[in-house]
Amino acid sequence: FPYTTLFRSSLDNPWPTQTGAPPGSNQSINRFDRTPYAMEWNFGIEQLLPKGIKLSVDYVGSGGRRLVQARFQNMAVVGSGSIASRKPVHNASTFAWRATDGNSNYDALQMKLERSFQSGLTFMNSFTWSKSLDTVSDANAAIGPPGYTNNLSLSRGPSDFNVPFVNTTSFVYDLPIGRGKKYASSMGRVPDTIIGGWETSGIINIRSGIGYSVLAGSDVANLGIDAGQVAQILSAAVPSGFNQTRTAWFNTSAFQLPVAGTLGNSSRNFLIGPAYQDVDFALMKNFRIVERLKLQFRTETFNLFNHTNFGNPTNSLASANFGQILSANSSRQIQFGLKLLW
């Protein structure tokens, strides 16, 4: 049998006394599931600019169809009164359900500039403007807010990993000093061991924040389960001139609990968290042992300037810290490594 049943029923006993999920089971699978698939399409142009700069401009699109998504079945419809009376099967509990009826779409404009210099410097800058939409971003997680099984379209919105703007600059510089290089090419082996063979690289990453929803924090809609129900929005969450700080990232007074027995009107992932800025830097020293054998010592620093990249704010109306940012990404980290290259 390709899926588990919630209970046994017959025409002469359509409402058996057994309630809840069957013993040993906490999930059901749609027997009509189909194989998920993804599609990709893109178009791009490249142009060689003066000074040897290469420009690339691309449109990149993709779509996922028949994606696996989990949600709760036998959920009560929105309303007031007895929860059991509003369930499709009155005397059965709500249970987990997986089906291949999800979909996603991604569209992006990607631009890239590249140039290599004779001095040993290689430079690249890439920029992406994109948008990713879906109803759930993780096949093992319940559908996103408001998580209402009877209307999945309410959960369609920006993906949990959607980042609208990303700009990344990277470089690798093989310093032109030492034996066989532009400067001091005839120095002896001992001075070359100290002065020559140095290489640097770096990555500068700047991107916009991650989206988040504002949650009611309780079963206001009277569904029998708090499936990520969203808050009621009254006015602009970030009005013009609003000063976003760690203790007040958005206007908390713009939200309230929905009327009992209703779903909130705010949408999924419609607010954007703090932007992210990071500089990674590496310094490497290459020691040539024999012609085809090289030893490399590396010092790598992540978040070189120890910039504080805050996480998203607390997004539940039920929390005393509603609207406040209480987390941050990693601080500066330094690591050392030794590599043998041949």
Side-chain angles (χ1 to χ4, degrees), residues 9 60 64 113 162 210 226 241 255 304 312 314 319 322:
S9 62
V60 177
L113 285 171
N162 179 60
I210 303 293
D226 176 16
F255 299 92
L304 176 66
N312 280 354
T314 303
S319 173
F322 182 52

Side-chain angles (χ1 to χ4, degrees), residues 289 293-296 338-342:
I289 301 175
L293 190 63
K294 184 170 64 174
L295 184 68
Q296 184 184 80
L338 197 63
K339 297 175 64 176
L340 186 64
L341 308 174
W342 68 88

Side-chain angles (χ1 to χ4, degrees), residues 6 17 27 55 60 64 67-68 75-76 81 99 104-105 108 169 179 191 220 239 257 272 274 278 281 293 308 318 337:
L6 184 62
T17 57
Q27 187 174 104
L55 169 66
V60 177
L67 302 180
V68 177
M75 178 186 288
S104 65
N105 287 93
T169 302
R179 301 185 68 177
V220 183
L257 286 175
I272 303 296
D278 179 69
F281 180 78
L293 190 63
T308 302

Side-chain angles (χ1 to χ4, degrees), residues 85-342:
S85 66
R86 287 179 284 109
K87 287 184 176 182
V89 182
H90 305 324
N91 61 342
S93 64
T94 301
F95 61 96
W97 170 268
R98 290 169 68 90
T100 54
D101 55 2
N103 63 79
S104 65
N105 287 93
Y106 173 81
D107 295 282
L109 171 67
Q110 299 179 354
M111 303 177 65
K112 183 169 62 176
L113 285 171
E114 296 178 88
R115 186 181 178 187
S116 296
F117 297 83
Q118 292 182 350
S119 62
L121 174 65
T122 301
F123 168 88
M124 182 177 71
N125 185 84
S126 59
F127 172 79
T128 301
W129 176 32
S130 65
K131 189 168 189 177
S132 178
L133 297 170
D134 58 31
T135 51
V136 60
S137 301
D138 182 353
N140 295 314
I143 55 175
Y148 185 49
T149 296
N150 299 309
N151 189 352
L152 295 181
S153 65
L154 295 177
S155 293
R156 185 166 178 81
S159 304
D160 296 342
F161 50 80
N162 179 60
V163 181
F165 298 99
V166 178
N167 190 88
T168 303
T169 302
S170 62
F171 70 89
V172 177
Y173 189 23
D174 186 4
L175 299 179
I177 304 174
R179 301 185 68 177
K181 302 293 182 65
K182 183 176 181 180
Y183 302 105
S185 60
S186 60
M187 69 169 56
R189 293 184 61 89
V190 174
D192 182 64
T193 302
I194 302 173
I195 300 175
W198 288 96
E199 182 181 342
T200 65
S201 64
I203 300 175
I204 304 170
N205 187 18
I206 302 173
R207 63 167 173 79
S208 53
I210 303 293
Y212 60 94
S213 311
V214 177
L215 306 180
S218 60
D219 183 17
V220 183
N222 204 25
L223 302 178
I225 184 170
D226 176 16
Q229 296 174 32
V230 294
Q232 186 80 8
I233 184 169
L234 306 175
S235 59
V238 186
S240 177
F242 182 80
N243 182 30
Q244 291 182 303
T245 65
R246 187 180 64 82
T247 56
W249 190 251
F250 55 84
N251 179 22
T252 56
S253 62
F255 299 92
Q256 70 176 22
L257 286 175
V259 175
T262 66
L263 292 170
N265 64 351
S266 59
S267 55
R268 176 179 171 223
N269 292 341
F270 77 107
L271 290 178
I272 303 296
Y276 181 90
Q277 301 175 34
D278 179 69
V279 177
D280 300 330
F281 180 78
L283 179 64
M284 294 152 280
K285 179 69 171 73
N286 298 306
F287 301 91
R288 188 173 299 279
I289 301 175
V290 295
E291 183 177 355
R292 299 185 62 181
L293 190 63
K294 184 170 64 174
L295 184 68
Q296 184 184 80
F297 176 74
R298 304 171 62 92
T299 302
E300 298 170 321
T301 305
F302 303 95
N303 193 3
L304 176 66
F305 300 109
N306 205 27
H307 178 77
T308 302
N309 291 297
F310 291 110
N312 280 354
T314 303
N315 63 337
S316 174
L317 274 167
S319 173
N321 301 312
F322 182 52
Q324 299 179 29
I325 295 177
L326 304 176
S327 64
N329 290 277
S330 300
S331 57
R332 179 170 50 225
Q333 298 181 17
I334 302 174
Q335 68 181 28
F336 303 95
L338 197 63
K339 297 175 64 176
L340 186 64
L341 308 174
W342 68 88

